[in-house]
Amino acid sequence: MLRTLKRYTFSLREAIESMIATICVLLPSLLVYIIKDRYEHVQGRISERVLRYGAYTLSTNALMLFVLYVGFGRYTQIFERLNESHRFACKYFALSVVFALVIALCDHMSLKRPTLRERFKSIIPYVCLFYVFVVLCVFMDRNVDSILDSDMASEMVRANLLSEGKAILSESWYYSTELRVLNTQLIFTPLFWLFNDWHTIRLVGSVLCWLVLLVSYYYLCRQLGLKKYFAVSAICLLLPLSCNYFSFTITGLYYIPHIAITFFTFGLLFQYSKCEGKYPKILLAVLCLLSIGAGMGGLRQLAILYIPLVLTDAVLFLSIRLKRMRPETRRTRRFFTASLVASLFSVAGYLINSCILSEIYTYRNWETIQYQDISLDSLMKVINGILSFFGFQTGDVFSFASISNIFCCFLLVLLAVILFRGIAVRHCSEEYYICSLFYLISIVVFALLYTVTSMSYNHRYNIPVLTFALPLVVLGLKESHWQVSCQKWVSGILAAGMVLCCGCNYLSYLDGSAYYNFSRNGAEYSTVADFLVSEGYKEGYATFWNANILTELSDGEIDVRDWGDSAEVRSIDQIYEWLQLKSHASTVPEGSVFVLLRTNQLEKIDFYPSLNEENIIYQSDAFIIYGYECYENLTADIEDGPVAEE
């Protein structure tokens, strides 16, 4: 009994720490509800409102605590990381939830309750969104090791490096084509301070990135007056409408920052154009910070968002002067001003990137791009990329590809009609006109960028541009003056088409016909990583697509130097300055070292014939791994091999 009593007693210092921890948990939600009360003008006595806010605050935080414990308990043992005072605070907090829930229930019962049909209609979209989100989480948990590649793993290796230095950028890393400032490392880096299991970090980080995407879209929907349609349309952001979108946005997470920045920027612009008082100054300050941070990442976000935004402002100005739109309004002037200010700050961020950050960090910029003659081949690549984004697939006519292609044609026709109405019809809203104009201009700018310059093109590059079609289509359908029956038919076709198209795309993943699929030896990579760790190998060499993936699958136990993947490997020390540590170029492995080769790349490895077969420690249809006690034995084997002797 004394032992049990001792567990629930605590010192004065622990009590103070518990109180501070509890206040830190409760204060944010309390402030949210106070602000909500100010906007919604909730009636009632002060005591009733305080009691109501306290109940909602406690219940909200209790739900969050429950989700953390149940959802991630098997991965993290979160309560073991809390000291005794914080654990006591959690116990006390959990006991008070019962009282809070009772008060919240009584408060809910006193309000005017909607009919069962209205409640059902309003909750079903959110249930579907939650279901899709959970299915996506389960999908990632079960299949992430199969769809993982070195591009995805490079983001994790970089985040681990940043977590060690407690920074958002690193001078010790070879970046790719852009400097990642406002990017996924802001989410993944802190997770390395909490968890040791890289699979858990990957899963939790992916969930947080999806939440950022949904929050940014919700914010935009609120400002466009589409809050009612948020849940049902947000489902589309999480579904595999196309293989490229699902691979590079949902599972790879590469373009979520770019899309979220676009959504947040337009949400801030529209909210700024409508706000009064001192809140516009705060919104403008946030918009400027977001713009300068986006510009510091490089030219990509400028090409996706800010250059089309400036051109939209120019067309908007001309349309007002030529009376092609409704007369100039205060909201239009404020949007025009705020978008120009945001664009200027993004240019300032880019100047910081090109003049200052480029001297500190190593990445490939766009300064070597040149103009070239317009070619039909480049234009057709852009057009095919647009078709691919909306679900178009190649294959047999009598196959699942036909379903996706028919739906793709329907989407393109619907989008064309919505664009035409938004630009040509004068009685549409300002938001509809601006979004339609921006989307059309962004596509034109994107097409020109890859048809009149020497930039290399890939179908996935259009994802951040074309994703803006979702809020535009929802806004266009809302403001359409079609008959109710016509709207229902269009909505029904969209829903049925999305289900069929996404089902077909999922099947294309399973049968290996997608660009990224489950047939990339994902399971064997895990086997190889486990084997190397069990044999005591910590460092090694491989080509790019076989390097960082081993680091992630081994929870950072294996450090792999990569030679790249496109060029011939002429030397064991031929380090590829792309998505790996800079120290790899100036150091050699210490202790035992391995060389991993893919069987379909042996002809690219010039020194492969020199490697002695006696040093093979692992061999399969896909891989050959050579093991050496030290780096000197590896180089001696290459120098003394049959090719070297000849």
Side-chain angles (χ1 to χ4, degrees), residues 488-596:
K488 289 183 177 180
W489 272 104
V490 172
S491 302
I493 293 174
L494 283 173
M498 283 295 297
V499 172
L500 292 175
C501 186
C502 294
C504 294
N505 286 330
Y506 181 73
L507 292 176
S508 68
Y509 274 93
L510 296 181
D511 64 17
S513 60
Y515 181 77
Y516 269 18
N517 51 65
F518 298 145
S519 61
R520 301 188 66 178
N521 304 100
E524 189 166 1
Y525 276 120
S526 299
T527 303
V528 168
D530 293 339
F531 171 79
L532 292 173
V533 171
S534 65
E535 293 294 321
Y537 289 94
K538 302 296 184 181
E539 297 183 81
Y541 293 89
T543 54
F544 174 77
W545 292 110
N546 307 300
N548 288 333
I549 185 174
L550 294 179
T551 304
E552 177 169 346
L553 292 175
S554 64
D555 289 339
E557 294 291 329
I558 302 175
D559 183 22
V560 188
R561 294 161 166 79
D562 78 76
W563 307 306
D565 200 68
S566 57
E568 292 186 1
V569 182
R570 302 185 181 278
S571 169
I572 191 69
D573 297 318
Q574 178 181 317
I575 299 301
Y576 184 44
E577 297 181 355
W578 182 276
L579 297 180
Q580 66 174 312
L581 294 171
K582 285 186 178 180
S583 59
H584 290 174
S586 57
T587 61
V588 297
E590 299 179 358
S592 57
V593 59
F594 66 90
V595 177
L596 184 145

Side-chain angles (χ1 to χ4, degrees), residues 312-443:
T312 301
D313 286 338
V315 176
L316 182 63
F317 177 80
L318 292 176
S319 65
I320 292 175
R321 289 291 177 262
L322 298 176
K323 306 298 182 182
R324 296 293 297 175
M325 195 180 122
R326 61 173 58 87
E328 182 180 5
T329 63
R330 183 173 181 273
R331 289 174 57 183
T332 306
R333 290 196 303 270
R334 292 173 69 88
F335 181 92
F336 182 83
T337 303
S339 57
L340 286 181
V341 171
S343 301
L344 289 176
F345 272 87
S346 68
V347 173
Y350 176 68
L351 292 177
I352 295 174
N353 173 282
S354 59
C355 298
I356 300 176
L357 299 181
S358 61
E359 302 295 328
I360 303 175
Y361 306 101
T362 304
Y363 58 95
R364 299 184 184 180
N365 52 38
W366 293 12
E367 294 179 358
T368 59
I369 300 173
Q370 298 178 346
Y371 286 106
Q372 66 180 13
D373 295 333
I374 299 178
S375 64
L376 183 61
D377 181 60
S378 300
L379 182 60
M380 291 307 299
K381 286 182 179 179
V382 174
I383 295 175
N384 288 331
I386 294 175
L387 294 174
S388 175
F389 174 83
F390 287 103
F392 185 85
Q393 298 181 15
T394 58
D396 297 333
V397 174
F398 298 100
S399 65
F400 289 120
S402 296
I403 299 176
S404 298
N405 296 343
I406 293 173
F407 184 63
C408 171
C409 295
F410 174 78
L411 281 179
L412 291 175
V413 171
L414 178 63
L415 183 60
V417 173
I418 289 175
L419 279 174
F420 176 78
R421 291 191 72 260
I423 297 174
V425 178
R426 296 188 62 180
H427 60 73
C428 65
S429 66
E430 295 175 355
E431 292 84 357
Y432 186 15
Y433 177 79
I434 291 172
C435 289
S436 301
L437 200 58
F438 169 80
Y439 191 69
L440 181 61
I441 291 175
S442 63
I443 292 177

Side-chain angles (χ1 to χ4, degrees), residues 36 48 90 225 230 332 428 462 479 523 627:
K36 179 181 177 184
E48 293 178 355
C90 291
F230 159 74
T332 306
C428 65
N462 60 26
E479 297 199 11

